[in-house]
Amino acid sequence: MKKDKSKYILAIETSCDETAAAIIQDGQKIISNVVASQIESHRRFGGVVPELASRHHIEQITLVLEEVFSQAKMSIDEIDAIAVTEGPGLVGALLVGVSTAKALAFAHQKPLIGVHHIAGHIYANRLEEDFSFPLLALVVSGGHTELILMRKHGQFEVIGETRDDAAGEAYDKVARTMDLPYPGGPEIDQLAQLGEDTLSFPRAWLEEGSFDFSFSGLKSAVINTLHNAKQKGIELKKEDIAASFQASVVEVLVEKTYQAAKKYQVEHVIVAGGVAANRGLRNALKDKFDDGTIKLSIPPLWLCTDNAAMIGAAGMIAYQKDLQTDWAMNANPALDLEIYGDR
Ligand code: KG4
Ligand code: ZN
């Protein structure tokens, strides 16, 4: 049995295509962290197949849990609460994590904590560095592109969001038209390092002062350019297409983040979600915020993509506020971040 006063959270994440579990000490220290990725199984279909994802989660979840306890050299008796991704995500995938967490919490009489997936991505940063408020989070993942203002822990105000595709979705769709494997983000990122922004794709600034995003016009521009070149028999360099697309996405993301950070006079800017792994975005943000007046945190690559450590870090905030979720909790594919924060 543990002897210290620390609080240990067991966290589970199954919202998409990673089956993950972690044990987190006091919301900021990773004791153990296990991620079983299914990417290989989905790759041949060019995207995540929901039914396949659920089946994989069912096969993996007990193995992942055994591994996380074995790596931590802990037993469930030493755990203070169980946190799980409640939504958003694929409903069948979420259900595996939620049912597992409920069963464990009920059987072992532990508090159950539902966590919003995006709150998790944001709190991944707190495993590296504490937050300073007001804080602005640029969330860029396969399903989300949002600018979120936080004035205190656990509270979220969406000040801008995508009106169509998420940034990661745009990456994946453009990659598919370029015949690159799934997921396309890392593939385009790699090609972009070797190319030049020669095609000058449009930048979607939207109305003056808006912090919303739009990527569907850019996606169409890339697709049209590819089709036109093919019809005319012109060969475009894949590296230049990737670099031009990435330059457009990154310029808009960085500029809007900077403008919002100034407007809301934030102390701290953080980046979260799978697209935060993008090298072009990471470098451009570092350049933009290099005068040091606003603290910038960019998580290490392995914390950008889906994992359960981030769910444990976010779950700790709810635990500290005594916000237990009741046994009626269900997987909620449309869970709203602001409403979640107001609980
Ligand atoms: O956060 P995440 O792992 O899953 C969701 O919650 O959506 O994000 C996955 C997304 C995919 O669209 C993937 O292509 C994108 O993140 N991604 C990247 C990079 N690495 C992952 N996009 C651009 N550049 C990267 N290096
Ligand atoms: Zn995610």
Side-chain angles (χ1 to χ4, degrees), residues 298-315:
I298 304 181
L301 296 182
W302 62 274
L303 271 178
C304 292
T305 42
D306 289 349
N307 62 80
M310 67 186 199
I311 302 302

Side-chain angles (χ1 to χ4, degrees), residues 19 38 52-63 92 96:
T19 316
Q38 315 172 352
L52 197 58
S54 313
R55 283 167 191 257
H56 274 298
H57 287 311
I58 291 169
E59 283 165 15
Q60 292 294 319
I61 190 73
T62 33
L63 298 171
V96 178

Side-chain angles (χ1 to χ4, degrees), residues 13 15 117-118 121 141-142 273-274 304-306 310:
E13 151 69 41
S15 68
H117 183 76
I118 297 302
H121 273 300
S141 73
C304 292
T305 42
D306 289 349
M310 67 186 199

Side-chain angles (χ1 to χ4, degrees), residues 18-338:
E18 329 273 0
T19 316
I23 296 174
I24 302 299
Q25 181 181 3
D26 296 327
Q28 286 182 277
K29 187 167 176 229
I30 298 176
I31 302 298
S32 62
N33 185 37
V34 177
V35 181
S37 176
Q38 315 172 352
I39 281 187
E40 287 308 324
S41 308
H42 298 284
R43 189 165 276 149
R44 65 199 156 110
F45 301 106
V48 177
V49 182
E51 179 60 24
L52 197 58
S54 313
R55 283 167 191 257
H56 274 298
H57 287 311
I58 291 169
E59 283 165 15
Q60 292 294 319
I61 190 73
T62 33
L63 298 171
V64 167
L65 283 167
E66 277 171 14
E67 181 65 19
V68 90
F69 279 111
S70 140
Q71 280 185 15
K73 297 189 176 57
M74 289 175 77
S75 78
I76 195 151
D77 300 331
E78 296 165 272
I79 297 295
D80 295 280
I82 298 176
V84 63
T85 308
E86 185 181 341
L90 301 169
V91 67
L94 288 164
L95 260 175
V96 178
V98 167
S99 316
T100 307
K102 278 166 95 170
L104 282 175
F106 190 76
H108 297 276
Q109 291 299 298
K110 306 284 180 191
L112 175 69
I113 298 168
V115 175
H116 192 288
H117 183 76
I118 297 302
H121 273 300
I122 292 172
Y123 273 87
N125 284 273
R126 198 166 175 246
L127 294 163
E128 292 283 308
E129 192 170 16
D130 215 345
F131 287 0
S132 306
F133 298 106
L135 175 148
L136 179 71
L138 169 66
V139 177
V140 271
S141 73
H144 293 259
T145 302
E146 280 147 21
L147 275 168
I148 291 158
L149 182 66
M150 291 177 68
R151 296 185 195 277
K152 58 179 186 183
H153 277 301
Q155 191 208 50
F156 311 91
E157 190 184 327
V158 179
I159 59 163
E161 62 195 328
T162 183
R163 295 184 185 171
D164 38 61
D165 293 345
E169 198 179 351
Y171 265 95
D172 294 339
K173 286 180 178 169
V174 166
R176 200 195 285 217
T177 56
M178 291 171 71
D179 294 325
L180 299 171
Y182 173 84
E187 301 282 334
I188 294 193
D189 192 13
Q190 212 159 3
L191 283 174
Q193 310 301 315
L194 309 168
E196 305 270 346
D197 176 12
T198 52
L199 297 164
S200 303
F201 289 130
R203 271 70 171 150
W205 297 114
L206 307 177
E207 318 82 71
E208 175 81 36
S210 168
F211 295 121
D212 280 352
F213 301 95
S214 166
F215 296 106
S216 68
L218 170 62
K219 181 189 65 192
S220 305
V222 178
I223 294 170
N224 289 341
T225 304
L226 286 169
H227 285 324
N228 289 341
K230 202 173 176 184
Q231 273 174 353
K232 291 180 188 152
I234 302 169
E235 198 152 337
L236 293 171
K237 266 179 74 185
K238 275 198 166 183
E239 291 81 359
D240 290 346
I241 303 166
S244 303
F245 166 75
Q246 180 146 308
S248 171
V249 174
V250 167
E251 189 180 327
V252 175
L253 289 176
V254 172
E255 192 55 36
K256 291 210 177 210
T257 304
Y258 186 73
Q259 295 305 334
K262 292 274 168 204
K263 177 171 175 188
Y264 291 95
Q265 299 181 329
V266 303
E267 297 255 328
H268 196 175
V269 169
I270 62 170
V271 201
V275 185
N278 185 271
R279 271 179 287 172
L281 178 62
R282 297 167 82 90
N283 291 336
L285 281 166
K286 280 183 205 147
D287 286 348
K288 193 77 185 178
F289 288 91
D290 76 342
D291 68 2
T293 47
I294 300 172
K295 185 163 86 173
L296 172 72
S297 302
I298 304 181
L301 296 182
W302 62 274
L303 271 178
C304 292
T305 42
D306 289 349
N307 62 80
M310 67 186 199
I311 302 302
M316 186 64 189
I317 302 299
Y319 179 79
Q320 282 169 327
K321 286 200 220 161
D322 215 9
L323 286 176
Q324 287 185 35
T325 316
D326 66 34
W327 300 116
M329 177 174 73
N330 204 352
N332 183 352
L335 186 63
D336 181 278
L337 182 62
E338 291 182 344

Side-chain angles (χ1 to χ4, degrees), residues 2-13:
K2 70 182 188 222
K3 295 176 193 74
D4 60 290
K5 288 209 181 93
S6 289
K7 297 293 176 195
Y8 293 89
I9 291 192
L10 167 68
I12 297 173
E13 151 69 41

